[in-house]
Amino acid sequence: METIYRNPKNKNFFEFVYEAVQCIPAGKVASYGQIARLCGSPRSSRAVGYALHVNPLPGIVPCHRVVNRAGRLAPAFAFGGAGVQKRMLEEEGVAVTEDGGLYYVDMDIYRWNPEI
């Protein structure tokens, strides 16, 4: 996967995260690491998570479409908990399973693979 966002001087990393996440289509998910790589900072998956935790535009930036690399939903989803993230994904046609009290998405089926 190549970097699809270049950092002009007037943008910060969080803005790139929000742009990248807005590209994830309904019915697909991406991992934090995937978004970090797309933003040109492959070791910044935790920063992606923080950016989404403080997402200033939750109705516009679909942070519910970002999961960990194993497909696990955020146990403390910033906008209402894992149950809310699960419901939002299911409304978009993404199947979510439960294992040990945690929710998962099958990344082989639902991973977003952007054309670069």
Side-chain angles (χ1 to χ4, degrees):
M1 177 184 313
E2 295 178 33
T3 301
I4 61 173
Y5 298 97
R6 303 286 181 230
N7 196 357
K9 293 177 182 154
N10 62 344
K11 287 199 176 180
N12 68 41
F13 181 73
F14 281 21
E15 289 171 318
F16 281 111
V17 169
Y18 302 142
E19 286 181 21
V21 171
Q22 287 181 73
C23 293
I24 306 168
K28 294 292 182 180
V29 298
S31 70
Y32 297 101
Q34 216 179 329
I35 299 300
R37 287 188 300 278
L38 287 171
C39 293
S41 190
R43 297 179 55 102
S44 298
S45 57
R46 287 181 186 241
V48 169
Y50 184 74
L52 297 178
H53 185 74
V54 297
N55 176 5
L57 304 166
I60 296 169
V61 177
C63 55
H64 66 282
R65 295 181 187 149
V66 182
V67 298
N68 84 356
R69 67 179 175 226
R72 190 187 59 179
L73 278 56
F77 180 63
F79 304 101
V84 171
Q85 185 179 14
K86 174 184 180 288
R87 179 184 50 78
M88 293 173 82
L89 288 170
E90 288 176 334
E91 287 173 356
E92 295 180 352
V94 176
V96 179
T97 59
E98 184 178 356
D99 184 17
L102 298 172
Y103 296 113
Y104 291 87
V105 169
D106 186 332
M107 295 299 278
D108 291 333
I109 297 171
Y110 298 104
R111 181 189 313 271
W112 172 54
N113 291 307
E115 300 276 332
I116 302 176

